[in-house]
Amino acid sequence: MNSDDRLRQRASRLLSQVATRSDRLINEGLAQADARKWHYAVLASLQDFGPASQAALSKRTGIYRSDMVGVLNELAQRQLVERAPDPDDQRRNVITISPAGRRQLRRLDKVLDALHDELLAPLDAAERDQLVRLLTRLLDHHDSPGS
């Protein structure tokens, strides 16, 4: 067994290499649409799960709280989200996706669909579904308490 064979048999190395290529492809593709992956994550979270505080959005999306302020400022400047005082705690804001944000999310979904087609080109539909299921299972396992 030569070292190339050994390296290509390590799932951790393969996942890392695919993740690097995926990040580059997604970041470049979203940049052409004048967006960033964190924009998409926030808009998708708000659309799928409803209005949230900055802290809840940070937890939902995995964006650090310190970075979330900048992301929300960018989205608010583009009128893609709306901020309003939380009726239960005036020190905190509730973030809601705006109609323009919903339109932008639909555009970004199409951009990401095309980018995913490029990333996953060698896989057929069943293999793509299987890959997503397996990656989800791994992620859920490592995100669960006690892992």
Side-chain angles (χ1 to χ4, degrees):
M1 175 186 286
N2 67 37
S3 63
D4 285 339
D5 291 337
R6 183 174 287 126
L7 291 175
R8 291 192 62 90
Q9 292 178 10
R10 298 289 178 194
S12 58
R13 179 172 168 84
L14 295 170
L15 284 167
S16 178
Q17 289 181 317
V18 171
T20 298
R21 287 167 176 82
S22 174
D23 279 348
R24 185 179 317 120
L25 178 70
I26 299 302
N27 287 333
E28 290 173 1
L30 287 174
Q32 290 178 1
D34 193 27
R36 297 187 305 132
K37 65 182 175 180
W38 297 132
H39 294 167
Y40 181 81
V42 169
L43 294 174
S45 175
L46 291 171
Q47 180 66 30
D48 293 348
F49 301 105
S53 67
Q54 288 180 194
L57 277 172
S58 178
K59 189 172 185 174
R60 282 184 197 169
T61 61
I63 300 170
Y64 291 116
R65 285 184 184 198
S66 57
D67 295 331
M68 181 60 74
V69 173
V71 172
L72 291 175
N73 286 342
E74 291 171 7
L75 293 171
Q77 184 178 28
R78 297 173 184 202
Q79 300 179 335
L80 301 176
V81 299
E82 298 166 351
R83 290 179 173 140
D86 185 333
D88 298 328
D89 184 349
Q90 294 295 314
R91 296 169 295 171
R92 172 169 77 185
N93 284 322
V94 173
I95 314 302
T96 307
I97 190 169
S98 69
R102 280 190 277 285
R103 288 190 299 275
Q104 175 70 345
L105 181 59
R106 284 192 297 273
R107 282 191 291 273
L108 294 179
D109 277 333
K110 290 177 185 172
V111 168
L112 285 172
D113 287 347
L115 293 169
H116 286 148
D117 283 345
E118 183 178 340
L119 178 68
L120 302 174
L123 305 179
D124 65 30
E127 290 170 323
R128 291 176 186 200
D129 289 343
Q130 181 182 24
L131 177 64
V132 169
R133 282 193 310 275
L134 291 170
L135 291 172
T136 300
R137 194 164 126 203
L138 283 170
L139 189 59
D140 287 348
H141 170 78
H142 291 288
D143 280 349
S144 67
S147 60

